[in-house]
Amino acid sequence: MIELNAVLQTSPVALVVLDDDDFIIQANDKAVAMGLCTGTALASYIANLKEKFVDHVRHQPGSQLYRLEFEYGEKRCRASFEENNGDLYVWLVDVSEQLVLADQIRRLKHPDSKKMRQISQ
């Protein structure tokens, strides 16, 4: 296991390092602020994931979108990962705000019937 250097530790993107048993063995400052704790399984935070995250991603292509559940709420994150020296490095990019903005834009592009009546009058 390699210690996270200062750049990775203070990265604006959450980074966790998992062992083969799916336990978080290292987490940078952003991951800790998000609510991820060392010594816990990453799969325990991910909604609707029944297997170990480590096993799950070995059968998945590239990055995926996951819903992480915490005591205070949930976050939608895009997870990218790579294996190095038997450990799995997982980058978690919070895309919750982007998804909310995309939904608002989609609703503005396709207004409901009430809005259409207002526009036509």
Side-chain angles (χ1 to χ4, degrees), residues 22-84:
D22 200 41
F23 288 102
I24 299 172
I25 54 177
Q26 288 184 347
N28 70 356
D29 297 341
K30 183 69 174 185
V32 171
M34 187 183 286
L36 299 168
C37 302
T38 57
T40 59
L42 182 60
S44 66
Y45 295 102
I46 300 174
N48 303 323
L49 186 64
K50 305 296 183 211
E51 61 185 323
K52 291 184 201 176
F53 184 78
V54 175
D55 295 337
H56 173 74
V57 297
R58 287 189 175 129
H59 306 312
Q60 299 294 320
S63 65
Q64 296 287 322
L65 190 63
Y66 296 97
R67 185 170 51 111
L68 278 67
E69 296 177 337
F70 301 99
E71 292 176 13
Y72 60 86
E74 68 179 41
K75 289 191 177 286
R76 299 272 178 146
C77 293
R78 182 161 305 282
S80 301
F81 46 86
E82 68 177 69
E83 286 193 67
N84 187 8

Side-chain angles (χ1 to χ4, degrees), residues 66-119:
Y66 296 97
R67 185 170 51 111
L68 278 67
E69 296 177 337
F70 301 99
E71 292 176 13
Y72 60 86
E74 68 179 41
K75 289 191 177 286
R76 299 272 178 146
C77 293
R78 182 161 305 282
S80 301
F81 46 86
E82 68 177 69
E83 286 193 67
N84 187 8
N85 297 329
D87 296 330
L88 185 70
Y89 289 71
V90 182
W91 293 96
L92 296 165
V93 179
D94 184 4
V95 294
S96 301
E97 291 180 14
Q98 288 94 336
L99 292 174
V100 169
L101 287 173
D103 186 48
Q104 290 174 348
I105 291 170
R106 195 172 12 267
R107 279 187 273 135
L108 287 173
K109 285 178 66 176
H110 302 287
D112 59 3
S113 60
K114 182 179 177 182
K115 188 65 107 178
M116 288 303 292
R117 278 194 306 272
Q118 289 175 346
I119 291 171

